[in-house]
Amino acid sequence: MNQLQAYIKNENTAALFENTSIGIEKEGHRVTPEGQIAQTPHPQRVDGSSENQYIQRDFAESQTELVSPPVIGREEGVLQWMHAIYDVTIRHLDNEEAIWPYSMPPQLPSDDQIKVAQLDDPAAVDYREYLVGAYGKKLQMISGLHYNFGLDPDFIKGFYQAGYSDYDNLFDTQNALYLKLARNFLRYQWVIVYFLGASPYAHDSFFEPGVEPVGHPVRSIRNSEHGYVNHEDVHVSYHDLETYITTLENNVKTGHLIAEKEFYSNVRLRGGAKVRDLLHTGIKYLEVRNTDIQGDAPYGIQLRELVFIKYFLLYLLWIDEMADDPEIEEGVKIKTQVANEDPFSQTVYYEEGQRIVKGLREMLTDLAVSQDKVDLIEEILHRLEAPEETPAARIVTAYPTVEDWLASGLAIAKKNRKNALKAPYQLGGFTDMELSTQIFIADAIRSGIQVEILDRTDNLLRLSVGDHIEYVKNGNITSKDTYISHYLLANKEVTKQIIQEAGFQAPQSRTYYSLSEVEAAAGFYLDRPLVVKPKSTNMGIGISIFKQGPSREELLEACRIAFEADDSVLLEDYVPGVEYRFFVLDGKTIAVLLRVPANVVGNGKATIAQLVAEKNKDPKRGLDHRTPLEKIQLGDIEALNLKQQDLTFDSVLEEGQKAYLRENSNISTGGDSIDVTDQVHPSYLDIASQMAQALGVNITGIDLMIQDITKAAQVSEKGANYGFIEANFNPMMMMHVYPAQGQGVRVTEALLHYLFPEKGFLK
Amino acid sequence: MNQLQAYIKNENTAALFENTSIGIEKEGHRVTPEGQIAQTPHPQRVDGSSENQYIQRDFAESQTELVSPPVIGREEGVLQWMHAIYDVTIRHLDNEEAIWPYSMPPQLPSDDQIKVAQLDDPAAVDYREYLVGAYGKKLQMISGLHYNFGLDPDFIKGFYQAGYSDYDNLFDTQNALYLKLARNFLRYQWVIVYFLGASPYAHDSFFEPGVEPVGHPVRSIRNSEHGYVNHEDVHVSYHDLETYITTLENNVKTGHLIAEKEFYSNVRLRGGAKVRDLLHTGIKYLEVRNTDIQGDAPYGIQLRELVFIKYFLLYLLWIDEMADDPEIEEGVKIKTQVANEDPFSQTVYYEEGQRIVKGLREMLTDLAVSQDKVDLIEEILHRLEAPEETPAARIVTAYPTVEDWLASGLAIAKKNRKNALKAPYQLGGFTDMELSTQIFIADAIRSGIQVEILDRTDNLLRLSVGDHIEYVKNGNITSKDTYISHYLLANKEVTKQIIQEAGFQAPQSRTYYSLSEVEAAAGFYLDRPLVVKPKSTNMGIGISIFKQGPSREELLEACRIAFEADDSVLLEDYVPGVEYRFFVLDGKTIAVLLRVPANVVGNGKATIAQLVAEKNKDPKRGLDHRTPLEKIQLGDIEALNLKQQDLTFDSVLEEGQKAYLRENSNISTGGDSIDVTDQVHPSYLDIASQMAQALGVNITGIDLMIQDITKAAQVSEKGANYGFIEANFNPMMMMHVYPAQGQGVRVTEALLHYLFPEKGFLK
C-alpha cells in the first residue's frame, strides 16, 4: 500500500479524493444545412473572443470551442454547463447552421476557403497563420475534446499535513502528485484511445496532397500519426517541474515550437499563463487532450465518459507505479499503435488492459464508489472484451462507408440543432431554475460575462467581468436597488403615498386588519368599484376586482381570500381602464406589456374546466416561473370570478365565448402576455420612469391603469385617464422576453448592460 | 340647513368632516429640583434650534417648546407624539431638572436672572429683547398650549366640487371656510376659557412692579388682561383674507407691532412664512392659542381636551352664524371677562353657553360621532352646570393657596420626570413599535431630524433634513445597503464562501434538504463538534450546538427542530471559543457585544422553570423586540439543551449553579448582552469591518467565534484563533444601546449620522 492509498484508507478521505474538479472544452465546426464547413463569420451576437470563457473560436473561423467552467464534485454539472453553452451557441447561429458532431471534419473545401479565426488580437491571428505553414490547414480542422482535471486542494493539503508526503512542503507535494498523474497518463493514454476512440474515418479531402489516406477504419485517426502531433524533434521531459519548464522553453528558444501552446502533448500541466509561472503558482490542474468527440453525445461527451475518465485518472494516481521518461515515450508509441488498430480487433495491449481494468475495479471497491458510478464505468470497461462496442466500431457498423458517416454527421448536427431550438425560452441544463434566471444565464454566456451559480435553489448568481463583481438573485435582485426600496414597494399604501406626493395619480385606499373590521365598514364599499388585495404580495395572489362594486357577500368572501395571503388587506378604488406593466430600468421604461387575465374561449362543447385543461397543455405554460406562461388554476378565486359572470367550472361556453377566470391580469395566475412596447403613447413611458425615480427604485415593474394607451396621459379636475396601481420589486422578466403575443423585449440583456456598462458586447 | 350641513348630510361626508389634522405646541419652563426656573442653558445634546421641529425654545432659555407634528384623523396620535417628545426632552435634561406643568410660571427670579433664549440666529434674539422692552420679561414667562387645526383638503374639495360653495373656485372656498371658523372662534373663545381655563393663580413675583396682583383665584390669568395681549391700539380685521393681511401689515408698518408674529390673537391664519404668502398658499390651518396648559395632563393636554376642542371648532364651522368684526371685538371682551370670573361661580354667559352646548350636542348626533368621543366631550360639557369641576376650580380646591399650588407644580413636574425615566429604553407613545425603531425615533427627535411614521405596524419611517429623504425600516434597513446584500447574507453558505474567498476563516458546512438525507450521512457527524441550524433565519431560531459532537438521536432531533424553521438545514463545524457580535457601520466596527445564552442561576430551592419565571419578571425582558432583552422560553430547544446537561425544567439547581437553556447566544432567544467594545483587541474590529466590506454590506452584525478577545487574531497552519459564524442583515441595535451589562453604544445615533452626515448636531 503506497502513501496515497494509506492516507485515503487510514484517514477516511475517499470522499475528498473523489471530490475532483472537472471542466470540458469541446471544439466543433459550424456547418451549413448542406453539411459544408460554414463560410460565414462567427455569429455577431455571440462574443467569440478569448474574453468569453464559454464560447470561443479555435483555429478556424468556423470552429467554435465550447468551454464549461470547472465543476467540483458533480459530474452532471459539467454536462449541464455544456448543454447550456451548446444551446446558447446554436440559438445564435445564422442561416440554420449547425455544429458538426465529430472530431474529424466533414468534407473540406480547398485551403483558400478555410479561414483562420478572425480574432481582434493580431498575435492570435499570426499564430494561426504560422500553424498553417507548419502543419497545413487541414490538420488544424480536427476538433478535440479536452478534459480539465483538478484534485481537491483539501485532499492534497490533508495528505501533506497528515504526514504522508515525501516532500517537506505543500507546494512540492502538490506538484509531485500532478506530475505522477501526468506521467502515468502519458504511459497509459492508449486506454482512452481504445475505449473512447471515435474517429475511424476521415474524408479524403482531409489529407494533404501527397499524404496517403487511411485506407481502412481505425480506432482514432485523430490519435494516429495523421492527427495533431508535434514534429519528432520536439522533446519535453515530465521528470520534474523545473525540467518540464526548461525543456519546453528550450523547444521554443530553438524554434522547434513557435510558442509553448504549440506543444501538443496529450497532457498539459496547467496553473499559470506561461509555463514558467508554474514555478510559483504550482500545478493546479491537468488538461487531458486525447479524447475524441463522442458523436452520439449531444455535447461531445456523456456522463459515463466523464465518470470513466475521472476514475481512470484517479487510478493513475492511486497505483504504485510512476512512469519514467522512456516509459512515457513508449506510451506515446503505444497510443499511436492502438489508434491505428482495426476497431473490431482485440487490441495488442489487451493484457495490459486487463491489468488496468482489474486494478481500476479494485480501486473502485476500495473507495466504495457509489454503484451508479460503477455502473457507468462498467458500461465502458466491458469494451475491452467486446471491441465491437467501442465507439469507433459502432460508427463503422452503423455507417459502413465514409459517405454514410458524413451523412450521419449532418443528420446528428441537425437533430442536435432541433433539440436546442425546441424550447428557446429555456436554457438546457438549468431548467430547474427560475426562467428569468435561465434567460439571464444564457445572456451572460452569450456576452462572455462569467456567471457562477452560488446557490441553485436560491437562483443566486455571481457575475463578473474582470474584477467587477455583481450578485443577482431571481433575475433582477441586484446591487442597483437599495435594501429599503424592497420594503417601500412591498408596502402598497406607502408606495401610493409617495406616488401621490410626487404629483401622480394613484387611487385611494384603506387598510383593514380583520374581517370584522371590514364588516363594520362594508356599507361604504357596496356601490364603489373596488379592488380587494392583500397588502404585501406582488404576485396577484388573493386579489379580487369588482368593477361595479361588490355585494356585501362578495366583499366579505374576497376579503376572506385576501386575508389568507396577508395579515392586512387593502380596499382600493378601482380605476377603470386596462392595466399595463411598464418595465423600468435605470430610470427608463424599456418594455410595456398588456396582461390579459386568465381566460378560455368556448367551442360550444367543452366545459370551462376542460378548456382550462386544454389551454394548460401548451408547453409554454408551466408552474412556478419555469416557463413564459403559467398554468391556469381552478381555485377559490377563479370560482368566485366565474360566479360573478354566472358561470361555474362546469359551464359549457358557446363557440367564441370568452370567460375570464381572474380579474387580475398577472401572468403568475395564468394570464396572457402581449408586448405593446411599440404601441404605447410616450407620455406613459415617461410617467412610469418618473414614478420609479420618485420611489428611488432602479429595476421595477410599474403597473398603470390606462384608458387608451394611444392617447397622451391627461389629468383634469374630473380625474385622470390613467392611474397608478402598484410598483413591483423583482418584476418578472420572462414575460417581456417571451410574450404570448408580440415581438418581445430582451430586458435581461438590458439589465446585464446596466450591471456591466463596460461590456460593450451587450449593446 | 346651511350649505356645509347640506353637503355633509346629502353627500354622506361626515367622516371627511371629522378627518381633521391636529398638532400641539406646548411651552414649559425647565425648573430645578427646588422648583426654581433653571438658570442652565438648553441641554447640549438636544437640538433646540428652530430647525428642530419637535423641541424648540420659546421666549426664555429655560422655556422649552414641545411641538407635535400634525396628525390626521387620530387624536391619540397627537398625544403619542407629545409623549415621545416629552420623554426625549426630560431624558436629556441635566441636573435633574424637570418641566413646570402650569401655564403660569413658578416663583420668578429678578429680571436680570431671566435669560432670553440663546439662539444662534441674532434676529431671533433681538426680537426677544424687543419683547422685553415692549411687555416686560415676566409676561413672556407665561407658557401656552397652541392647537393647530386643519380640515381635510378632500372635504373642502368635495364641498366645492359638489357645488355647495358660494365661491367659484376652490381657493376662495377654502379661505372662506377657515375665515368663518376663525371669526366664530374669536367670538366664542370664552368657551375654551370657561371649560379649560387652568391658571387661577400667579405668584406675586409674576406681576411687574406697580401692577396690582390678582387678589383672588380666577378662571385664567393667562386669558385675562394680565396675560399675553397686544396693546389696545392693535386692530386686525378678519373680514376677509386681503383685509386681514393688510391690517396686520399696517400694524407692523406703523410700528404698533415689531413683527407679524407679535400679533397675539387667539387664532392665527396659517399657511405661509409671511402673512402675505397666504394670498397664494391659501389658509391651510388655524392656530388656536388660548388653551391653558392642563396641569393634570402629563403633556399639558389629554385626549378629552383634544377631542373637545376639535368638535367645538367643527361646531363653529357647522353653525349658520358668522361673526362680524364688532362681534369679534365683543368676543375678545367676553373672553377677558370670563377669564376673570371666580372659578366656582356660574359664568355670566351661562345662557349663551347652554345654547352652544345644545347645538354642539345636536351636531354630534347629526354626525353620528362615535360614543367614545361623545363620552369624552360630555366629561367637559357638564362643567357648564358644575363650575366647581372646571380645571381652575379643581386646582383651587386641591391647592387652596398660591404656595400650595407652587408646591403642587413641583410635585407634578417631579412625578412626570420620574415617569419619563422609568423605562429609558422605550419611547413613550411608540412602545408598540420595535424597540430599535423607538430608539431611532427618539434620536431623530433629539437631533431635529424630521421623522414620519409611514407604516406603524411595518416600523417604516421616513426621515428628512430639508430635501434629503431617507427611508428606514426596522431600525436599520436603509438605502445604504443594496437589495441583493440581504439575500447574500440570508444565504449562510454563500456568505461563508465569500468570506473564505476574501481570505478569512469560516467553518466548513453542508446543506441538507430532508431529515432522511441527514440520517444517511449521520455517521460523519457523530464525533464532530457541530452546529445545526436552519439555512435562512437570523434570529437564533432552531439552532442547536453540540460542542462534543451529537449522538445520533440528538443530531436527528436537532435537525427536526431546524427543519421546522426552514426547508434546508446547515450542519456546520463548531468553532471553539466564545461568540461575539460586531456591529459594523459604513466599514467600521462601532460596537462589540458578548451575548451569553439564556441562563438561570440556582438558589438551592427553585426549579429551573421557577428561576426562568423569576428572571422573566425583569421589565427589561419582554417579547418581540419591544424591550432590550427577551423573555426566556421553555420550549423544545430549551428542553433539549437541558437534557444535554442531564437537567429538565423541573430540576432544582444548587446555590450558584448556572444552567444554560440555550447553546446559541442570541438575545432574541433570551440571552444576556454584555458590551465589550472597549475590551476587544483591535485586530477583530478590523477583521469584522473587512468582512463586511467583502460582503459589500454597510450595516451588519458580524458574529465571530473568538478564543480570547484580548489577544490578536492569528492564523497558523494548525488553524485560527477565531472563526466567522455569520453576518446578519438588519442586526438588532437595542442590545448595543441598552446592554444587560456595560456602558452601551448608541449605534442608532451613529446610523442617523451615517444617513445624514450634513446634520452636524448628531456628532
Side-chain angles (χ1 to χ4, degrees), chain A residues 454-455 458 462 471 473 477-479 481-484 486-488 491 494 497-498 501 535 717 729, chain B residues 454-455 458 462 471 473 477-479 481-484 486-488 491 494 497-498 501 535 729:
Chain A
L454 293 181
D455 191 310
D458 261 13
R462 175 159 57 188
Y471 298 94
K473 186 178 150 62
I477 297 177
T478 72
S479 70
D481 277 311
T482 64
Y483 188 14
I484 187 67
H486 161 96
Y487 290 98
L488 290 183
N491 191 314
V494 167
Q497 180 185 338
I498 295 170
E501 288 170 357
K535 193 168 170 191
E717 279 214 348
F729 53 89
Chain B
L454 292 182
D455 191 309
D458 261 13
R462 175 159 57 188
Y471 298 94
K473 183 175 152 65
I477 297 176
T478 72
S479 70
D481 278 311
T482 64
Y483 188 14
I484 187 68
H486 161 93
Y487 290 98
L488 289 183
N491 191 314
V494 167
Q497 180 186 338
I498 296 170
E501 288 170 356
K535 193 168 172 193
F729 52 89

Side-chain angles (χ1 to χ4, degrees), chain B residues 390-412:
Chain B
T390 59
R394 292 171 66 98
I395 287 171
V396 174
T397 304
Y399 319 115
T401 70
V402 171
E403 282 65 36
D404 294 338
W405 168 75
L406 285 176
S408 78
L410 184 58
I412 291 170

Side-chain angles (χ1 to χ4, degrees), chain A residues 2-283:
Chain A
N2 61 38
Q3 289 294 87
L4 184 122
Q5 292 178 20
Y7 169 59
I8 294 170
K9 287 174 185 169
N10 298 347
E11 311 293 338
N12 194 22
T13 54
L16 281 180
F17 186 52
E18 291 184 68
N19 192 40
T20 56
S21 152
I22 297 173
I24 291 294
E25 301 168 22
K26 179 203 158 286
E27 299 154 14
H29 287 283
R30 289 182 288 116
V31 290
T32 66
E34 293 74 36
Q36 308 298 315
I37 296 278
Q39 299 291 319
T40 49
H42 183 81
Q44 207 181 345
R45 280 177 47 80
V46 176
D47 181 359
S49 73
S50 55
E51 281 178 21
N52 185 338
Q53 60 195 98
Y54 304 110
I55 305 171
Q56 302 186 355
R57 277 165 286 180
D58 197 66
F59 168 79
E61 179 70 5
S62 61
Q63 199 169 19
T64 59
E65 179 172 353
L66 311 187
V67 184
S68 87
V71 175
I72 294 165
R74 290 175 55 253
E75 289 81 40
E76 297 85 350
V78 181
L79 291 183
Q80 288 166 346
W81 273 106
M82 291 306 289
H83 190 166
I85 296 164
Y86 188 85
D87 273 8
V88 170
T89 306
I90 289 287
R91 290 171 190 173
H92 288 92
L93 293 183
D94 305 311
N95 310 312
E96 298 188 36
E97 289 170 4
I99 292 181
W100 188 251
Y102 291 128
S103 278
M104 298 311 287
Q107 182 168 359
L108 291 177
S110 58
D111 272 15
D112 59 346
Q113 296 205 38
I114 297 177
K115 276 190 221 116
V116 302
Q118 303 298 300
L119 299 166
D120 288 340
D121 178 7
V125 177
D126 286 351
Y127 174 66
R128 283 166 175 73
E129 296 294 357
Y130 158 81
L131 295 178
V132 171
Y135 302 90
K137 271 186 177 172
K138 298 180 194 307
L139 185 69
Q140 303 290 336
M141 298 297 272
I142 299 177
S143 293
L145 189 138
H146 301 168
Y147 189 102
N148 293 310
F149 179 80
L151 295 166
D152 187 334
D154 282 350
F155 174 78
I156 301 171
K157 199 168 152 194
F159 177 70
Y160 164 68
Q161 286 183 347
Y164 291 87
S165 172
D166 294 336
Y167 296 87
D168 65 357
N169 65 70
L170 181 60
F171 186 80
D172 289 343
T173 303
Q174 173 159 339
N175 291 335
L177 286 172
Y178 278 118
L179 275 170
K180 174 184 176 184
L181 176 47
R183 285 149 74 170
N184 285 344
F185 181 80
L186 289 170
R187 170 62 185 81
Y188 293 114
Q189 55 182 302
W190 73 265
V191 170
I192 298 291
V193 176
Y194 176 84
F195 285 102
L196 303 180
S199 49
Y201 294 132
H203 187 260
D204 283 356
S205 60
F206 167 73
F207 298 96
E208 295 286 347
V211 174
E212 183 69 24
V214 179
H216 59 87
V218 296
R219 299 201 198 278
S220 175
I221 293 179
R222 177 166 164 271
N223 279 285
S224 75
E225 68 279 13
H226 295 290
Y228 249 54
V229 281
N230 291 117
H231 289 281
E232 284 189 3
D233 49 6
V234 173
H235 294 284
V236 173
S237 165
Y238 284 77
H239 183 271
D240 58 75
L241 187 57
E242 179 70 42
T243 310
Y244 174 80
I245 293 167
T246 312
T247 52
L248 179 48
E249 284 178 341
N250 277 342
N251 277 287
V252 176
K253 274 185 207 147
T254 57
H256 291 109
L257 298 173
I258 196 172
E260 290 168 359
K261 63 184 166 184
E262 193 195 336
F263 176 50
Y264 295 139
S265 170
N266 275 333
V267 62
R268 279 182 180 163
L269 313 182
R270 304 303 297 255
K274 302 289 286 178
V275 70
R276 182 153 292 279
D277 295 341
L278 292 172
L279 280 181
H280 58 262
T281 62
I283 306 169

